[in-house]
Amino acid sequence: MKYVTEIKLAIIGLGYVGLPLAVEFSRKREVVGFDIDHQRIKNLKAGHDVTLEITREELTMSTQLIFSTELDDLRQCNCFIVTVPTPIDDYKRPDLTPLTKASETVGKVLKPGDLVIYESTVYPGAVEEDCVPVLEQFSGLKYNDDFFCGYSPERINPGDKEHRIMDIVKVTAGSTPEIADLVDALYGEVITAGTHKAESIKVAEAAKVIENTQRDLNIALVNELAMIFNKMGIDTEAVLKAAGSKWNFVPFRPGLVGGHCIGVDPYYLTHKAQAIGYHPEIILAGRRLNDSMGGYVVAQLIKAMTKKRIEVDGARVLVMGFSFKENCPDLRNTRVVDVVTELQDYNCKVEIYDPWVMADEIESEYGITSVVVPELGIYDAIIVAVAHDQFKSMGATSIRRLGKSKHILYDLKYIMSEAESDLRL
């Protein structure tokens, strides 16, 4: 059984996961960074990363990193790390299209002895049951005889400048014991926090998918608690602070659950569970509750406006923040869009202000054109939906100046005190 020992590395997919990984590996060895998006490659060659994960200086210093859209540039490589997204479709089902296409690309250049490592979040079994057959079909090679696979799930936290890729423990796995050692050693070159070598690829796949499922369920619990406490007239943040005084209380906060991980990964696990004949009740219940939070937020706002005798029909509402999390331009699966569409159903005139996101990206992704720089004194309601640093620095007084003399200020992210806002989750 011959496998690669002198690694010539390629990263397939240069998004939030692939680019930081490529930059980090390029400090140690030559790397081909491959992406099918020609504009993305053009921007990176010019030193510009639209995800804002990598600085111009870091790109300039990555002299061993070659950016390419050309298949021929992959032929010189013998180790391929696939970092493409794994979204869900409109029916909450896993969409493996990007993963399949990436596997086809790698399969076309795969040679005897080569190694393919996947980082994309999948359900247990996906690498060997869904990806390997594609690699075999397009390469004409046999798995674990002619080529080998590994899995090392991504743990990137977009917008987080404190926990970078090298600072987060990396789970690794391989299709044979020897390959597991090789994959672990490869990541050990760049991950200073250390690695955890899992017993199998399936174990590593399962570990990744439950990380965000666990967080999703914890947030769902706190969201439900917030609904209960709101009915009782109790401030949820005050309750959580009090409970947090115990050493083993887990500090989660209520809110909209979006993004390409927490709001997506549980559906990969539930899909696989249902495929083997098990209906996961708790996981899906948490998903349903979290997916309903946009409607709950709007219902609370409409109720508050009505009590204050603010006309809802035609009301001008400012939504502050549209990305799925703070200090990040990532729009994927943002649940702020649920708030916007619910408000539009009430015939409200919704405007969005987000200094982190380009207006044309919001329009392209969601068809929303009402992205503005807000004016003073014109809004009937203001919703702080994302806790960007810019909004925190504004403070409640400056934010309220955007509203009319009579308005509602809804703080979804607890960036101000209970007394400073009219509504909180």
Side-chain angles (χ1 to χ4, degrees), residues 81-207:
I81 300 180
V82 178
T83 61
V84 297
T86 43
I88 53 176
D89 64 19
D90 293 340
Y91 302 98
K92 312 295 186 184
R93 298 174 305 196
D95 179 6
L96 296 181
T97 303
L99 200 60
T100 300
K101 293 296 184 183
S103 298
E104 290 178 8
T105 297
V106 173
K108 292 174 183 177
V109 298
L110 206 58
K111 305 175 297 299
D114 284 2
L115 170 61
V116 186
I117 304 170
Y118 290 89
E119 288 215 5
S120 307
T121 301
V122 291
Y123 44 75
V127 167
E128 293 174 300
E129 295 167 14
D130 297 284
C131 299
V132 164
V134 177
L135 293 173
E136 289 183 325
Q137 176 188 350
F138 281 82
S139 68
L141 303 176
K142 188 176 180 182
Y143 177 51
N144 274 347
D145 283 342
D146 302 316
F147 72 92
F148 308 89
C149 283
Y151 186 71
S152 183
E154 60 89 2
R155 282 178 166 172
I156 293 292
N157 188 25
D160 189 340
K161 302 306 180 186
E162 180 181 351
H163 302 98
R164 305 293 296 271
I165 184 170
M166 71 290 288
D167 306 316
I168 304 170
V169 174
K170 202 84 161 69
V171 173
T172 65
S175 56
T176 70
E178 295 82 5
I179 293 301
D181 290 340
L182 179 61
V183 173
D184 195 66
L186 175 63
Y187 281 101
E189 292 180 357
V190 295
I191 307 297
T192 56
T195 60
H196 176 94
K197 187 167 61 174
E199 287 78 358
S200 67
I201 288 176
K202 283 186 178 180
V203 167
E205 290 169 324

Side-chain angles (χ1 to χ4, degrees), residues 7-23:
I7 289 176
K8 298 177 182 178
L9 186 61
I11 309 292
I12 314 299
L14 297 175
Y16 283 86
V17 175
L19 181 61
L21 188 68
V23 168

Side-chain angles (χ1 to χ4, degrees), residues 302-321:
I302 297 302
K303 186 177 180 180
M305 291 173 68
T306 303
K307 284 184 176 180
K308 208 165 185 177
R309 298 187 183 279
I310 297 173
E311 180 65 39
V312 173
D313 188 7
R316 201 164 181 177
V317 181
L318 177 67
V319 176
M320 298 181 66

